Amino acid sequence: MELFGVVVTAFWAMLPAYIPNNAAVLAGGGRPIDGGRTMGDSRLLGDGKTWRGTLVGWLAGAALAVGLNALEPGVSDAVGIALPTFPLAIALALPLGAMLGDIGASFLKRRSGRERGAPFPGVDQLDFVVGSLLLASIADFAASLSWFADTFTAPVLAVVLLMTPMLHVSTNALAYAVGLKDEPW
Ligand code: CTP
Ligand code: MG
Ligand code: K
């Protein structure tokens, strides 16, 4: 596959993992997942990880995957590439994994003395990618699909790992600029 096809496939396949964090920013608030509990001197996760943000983020990503399935024939036709559709297990796992990766990163941030909202370069940009790919590959295995290996070929994976941090930095800077986010990362 040519580079264009690899980039389009990478972006398309990761869209259900990209949306949850942004949806969580819009939906956030309410009860924190850790219920205020602490571990050592710091919060377990902090007020930035809420039930509502997590749930809305997960569902937004899953709904997007279902929407992309409906659009796939037309979009594949338009770009001249056979884009993947998302089996239900994958449609659920990609966004849930993204949210869990982000939550795991907050756990690590609190353990390393970083306050809520503090930047953690590298981790902030890739936590949700690692989480979504990991959970999607587990779901793939559990449901005996061959979706993961068929979709995330080595070149597609490489583009995901390079492209995602760039997209993450630019969307967060934009969300900050228009006042949706408290910090530009
Ligand atoms: N958010 C949420 N639930 C999540 C993830 C995010 O409610 N599971 C909302 C919160 O309002 C959060 C905002 O989205 O403040 C931005 O997300 P993020 O940058 O991940 O959280 P931070 O506030 O920076 O907290 P942390 O330092 O723990 O990452
Ligand atoms: Mg943050
Ligand atoms: K984060």
Side-chain angles (χ1 to χ4, degrees):
M1 202 191 285
E2 285 178 28
L3 184 61
F4 173 74
V6 172
V7 172
V8 172
T9 303
F11 183 70
W12 173 272
M14 286 302 287
L15 265 177
Y18 288 156
I19 293 306
N21 290 279
N22 300 300
V25 172
L26 298 177
R31 262 166 36 85
I33 295 172
D34 68 8
R37 275 186 284 277
T38 56
M39 182 187 265
D41 292 338
S42 310
R43 285 283 294 278
L44 199 57
L45 301 173
D47 285 332
K49 306 296 122 157
T50 68
W51 288 110
R52 191 167 79 205
T54 307
L55 201 67
V56 170
W58 181 19
L59 294 180
L64 180 72
V66 172
L68 292 179
N69 284 344
L71 295 176
E72 183 276 326
V75 179
S76 289
D77 225 35
V79 295
I81 295 153
L83 291 166
T85 53
F86 303 90
L88 187 62
I90 299 292
L92 292 170
L94 282 171
L96 180 59
M99 290 276 78
L100 293 178
D102 177 60
I103 290 169
S106 290
F107 178 79
L108 293 180
K109 284 181 174 183
R110 301 300 94 82
R111 305 287 74 72
S112 58
R114 291 175 171 81
E115 299 292 335
R116 174 190 178 181
F120 197 167
V123 174
D124 277 330
Q125 287 74 34
L126 286 170
D127 53 17
F128 63 102
V129 181
V130 173
S132 63
L133 294 180
L134 208 64
L135 200 62
S137 60
I138 293 170
D140 188 86
F141 181 75
S144 309
L145 307 167
S146 62
W147 187 89
F148 196 89
D150 289 348
T151 305
F152 290 107
T153 60
V156 171
L157 261 185
V159 166
V160 166
L161 294 178
L162 284 172
M163 177 178 68
T164 306
M166 295 191 258
L167 284 170
H168 189 263
V169 166
S170 36
T171 43
N172 283 338
L174 185 71
Y176 173 74
V178 299
L180 289 175
K181 225 174 169 296
D182 294 336
E183 306 93 15
W185 44 80

